[in-house]
Amino acid sequence: MDATTSGTPTVQYHNLPDQPITAIVAAPVSAFLRQVRHCFGDSTPGEFPLAANPSIVLHVLTTCNLDPQDLAKLEAKLAALDMCQRRAIFKPMTDEERQSLKHRCGGSWKLVLRFLLAGEACCRREKSQAIAGPGHSIAVTSSGAVYSFGSNSSGQLGHGNTEEDWRPQQIRSLQGIRIIQAAAGAGRTMLISDAGRVYAFGKDSFGEAEYGVQGTKLVTTPQPVESLKDIFVVQAAIGNFFTAVLSREGRVYTFSWGKDSKLGHKTEPNDVEPQPLLGALENIPVVQIAAGYCYLLCLACQPSGMSVYSVGCGLGGKLGHGSRTDEKYPRLIEQFQLLNLQPMVVAAGAWHAAVVGRDGRVCTWGWGRYGCLGHGNEECESVPKVVEALSDVKAVHVATGDYTTFVVSDDGDVYSFGCGESASLGHNTAGEGQ
C-alpha cells in the first residue's frame, strides 16, 4: 500500500525494517512484535493510521497477540468503518468531514454506519423511486434518469415549456447528471444529484395568497440552486410556504417562510438563502425530512435510537405533541417512547402525518378528515396513534397525500385509506368515500 498516494501516514515499527504489507502478514510474527500493542503516528489517539484500508488492518491485527476482548472491539470498529466506506455518500468525504460526522453521530463508526443505513432505507437513495405532487409526478430510475408528467402550468415538468404532458417524458437537459432524489410541490420540483447539487424548476415564489404577492418568474428547465452550492444535499422537501433540505452530515436547512420565526429564524417570505434549523437538532444528525403544508418533520438518529421532531404550524394536532399550538423550534415527539416504537420512516401529508416503526407498526396523527388516519373515524389525533386495523400487517413504508394514506407491507401488498374521490385510493368501489 502506497501511503504517499493514499494520504495515510506510514506505520513505524521499532527495530522492524521497511517491507511490503504482504511480507509482514506472511512472515512469522516475532515475540517482540507481539508485545507491541499500539501503532505510532500523528493520527487521533485510538485510531489506526492504516484505517484507510480497514480490511488490511484487520488482517494484520489477527496476527498480533492482542487480548481477545481488545481485538474484538478493534475488529468491530474497523469492520464498521469498512462498511461505511462502501456507502455512496460516505466515499467522497474527506478525512476531516468523516471525523466531523463521526463526532456528530456520537463518536463511533458503528453509529455512523447506522446513520448512513437509516438514511438509505427511508429515502431510497441509489434506488428507483416515484414522487407524486399535487398535480404532477416525477420518476427517478436507479441509473439516475428523471421522467416527469402531469400538470405543467408553472414549468414544473422541466421540459422547457408550460404544456401539460400526461405521458412520462425524460428531462433531456439533465443527461450526464445522475439524480438520486426528487421532491415535488405545488407548481415546483427539486432534484438532487449524486454530487450533492440541487436543481429546481417551476414557480419561483411560495405562498402567494398569504403574502399578497404573485410570482411572475417561471423556470421551465432544471437550474442549479446557487444558494445551496456549498452544502452537499441528499434530500429536499417542499412545503406550501417553505423548502427544507438535508445535508450529507444530517443538518437541516430551510428557506422562505421564516416570517415571525415560524421555522426558528426570521427571513423575508421569498428569501432563498438557506438557514440552519436551530434548536434541538443543531447537534443531532437527521436522516430524513418530510414537509407538510405548513410544518416539517425530522427523523433523527441518536445513540439511544431513532426519534421524530416537528416544527411549524400545529393546527389539527399535526405536530404530534398533544396540543394544537405552533412550534418555532424543533420539538421531540415523546409519544413514540410511550408506545415503545422505534420510528424508521416518516411521512408528512398536508394536514396529517404517519410513521412506520422498526417492528412494522404504523402510527398516524393530525387532521382525520375522510378517515385518512385509518382509525375508523374522522377525528383529529394530536399525538401519534397506532393504526389497529393494520395490526396483522408488517409495514415497511408509508406515504401521505392531502387526505390519503398508503402503506406498503413487507410482502409487497399496498393498503390505502382516506378520501376516495376520483378513485384516488386505487379501489374498485365507485363514488367518493373512505
Side-chain angles (χ1 to χ4, degrees):
M1 182 176 64
D2 188 352
T4 60
T5 58
S6 67
T8 308
T10 305
V11 177
Q12 299 292 332
Y13 290 96
H14 287 263
N15 302 323
L16 184 66
D18 291 338
Q19 53 185 307
I21 191 68
T22 53
I24 295 175
V25 174
V29 183
S30 67
F32 174 77
L33 182 57
R34 290 193 183 100
Q35 297 174 3
V36 179
R37 299 297 179 94
H38 62 278
C39 295
F40 297 89
D42 57 0
S43 58
T44 304
E47 296 293 336
F48 282 82
L50 274 175
N53 198 327
S55 298
I56 293 179
V57 178
L58 280 173
H59 195 62
V60 174
L61 285 172
T62 56
T63 67
C64 300
N65 188 23
L66 292 175
D67 180 89
Q69 291 184 349
D70 292 339
L71 181 58
K73 292 179 181 179
L74 289 170
E75 287 178 338
K77 177 191 295 185
L78 293 171
L81 175 58
D82 201 8
M83 294 183 67
C84 287
Q85 291 184 341
R86 300 177 187 181
R87 317 323 300 176
I89 290 177
F90 190 83
K91 285 180 180 178
M93 297 178 73
T94 66
D95 289 340
E96 183 179 355
E97 290 170 336
R98 291 178 178 183
Q99 291 296 331
S100 176
L101 178 60
K102 178 183 175 184
H103 175 74
R104 185 172 173 79
C105 289
S108 161
W109 291 121
K110 292 176 67 175
L111 293 175
V112 173
L113 179 61
R114 188 177 70 173
F115 165 75
L116 296 173
L117 294 177
E120 291 178 6
C122 62
C123 298
R124 291 188 58 83
R125 295 171 189 153
E126 311 297 322
K127 297 180 180 179
S128 59
Q129 52 192 279
I131 298 90
H136 71 294
S137 298
I138 305 293
V140 181
T141 70
S142 57
S143 63
V146 182
Y147 294 78
S148 62
F149 55 99
S151 176
N152 195 32
S153 58
S154 300
Q156 62 265 40
L157 296 186
H159 299 311
N161 55 51
T162 56
E163 299 176 4
E164 294 183 348
D165 198 332
W166 302 105
R167 294 179 301 174
Q169 299 291 336
Q170 185 175 1
I171 301 179
R172 300 293 179 182
S173 62
L174 291 172
Q175 288 185 339
I177 300 174
R178 185 165 184 255
I179 300 299
I180 62 169
Q181 276 285 311
R188 66 182 67 221
T189 306
M190 300 183 78
L191 306 174
I192 316 298
S193 76
D194 60 349
R197 294 302 306 270
V198 181
Y199 299 84
F201 44 101
K203 288 194 302 184
D204 72 329
S205 57
F206 289 91
E208 293 89 346
E210 176 178 325
Y211 299 119
V213 298
Q214 182 65 43
T216 57
K217 182 181 178 182
L218 300 181
V219 180
T220 59
T221 57
Q223 300 294 326
V225 180
E226 292 300 323
S227 63
L228 295 172
K229 65 181 180 180
D230 295 327
I231 301 173
F232 195 110
V233 176
V234 295
Q235 190 200 349
I238 303 175
N240 194 64
F241 304 106
F242 69 97
T243 289
V245 296
L246 178 64
S247 78
R248 175 174 58 183
E249 298 78 20
R251 292 186 174 89
V252 181
Y253 298 82
T254 62
F255 48 90
S256 191
W257 207 51
K259 185 180 180 183
D260 299 326
S261 299
K262 284 192 174 77
L263 293 173
H265 52 74
K266 286 188 176 183
T267 64
E268 295 299 318
N270 289 310
D271 189 353
V272 296
E273 290 297 322
Q275 303 290 335
L277 192 61
L278 304 178
L281 292 176
E282 290 182 63
N283 297 308
I284 299 176
V286 173
V287 300
Q288 183 199 359
I289 54 177
Y293 189 81
C294 50
Y295 69 106
L296 179 69
L297 300 179
C298 301
L299 178 63
C301 184
Q302 299 175 268
S304 59
M306 307 295 288
S307 55
V308 180
Y309 290 75
S310 62
V311 61
C313 173
L315 186 65
K318 57 185 178 290
L319 296 186
H321 302 305
S323 67
R324 301 185 181 187
T325 58
D326 298 349
E327 297 290 341
K328 294 183 178 181
Y329 297 96
R331 179 181 171 186
L332 174 68
I333 300 179
E334 299 176 354
Q335 183 68 10
F336 295 115
Q337 297 175 351
L338 299 176
L339 294 172
N340 193 27
L341 183 144
Q342 279 275 324
M344 296 303 295
V345 180
V346 62
W351 307 103
H352 75 292
V355 153
V356 173
R358 184 187 297 274
D359 58 6
R361 285 183 292 169
V362 178
C363 288
T364 59
W365 68 97
W367 195 8
R369 191 177 182 186
Y370 300 110
C372 62
L373 300 184
H375 302 310
N377 55 49
E378 296 188 51
E379 301 296 323
C380 292
E381 296 290 344
S382 59
V383 294
K385 181 178 179 180
V386 175
V387 180
E388 297 297 341
L390 295 173
S391 59
D392 295 331
V393 175
K394 184 176 181 180
V396 295
H397 197 73
V398 64
T400 49
D402 279 2
Y403 301 107
T404 57
T405 305
F406 291 81
V407 175
V408 182
S409 71
D410 62 345
D411 57 9
D413 290 334
V414 180
Y415 298 81
S416 64
F417 41 95
C419 180
E421 183 179 6
S422 302
S424 59
L425 296 180
H427 302 302
N428 290 328
T429 53
E432 301 179 7
Q434 298 177 6

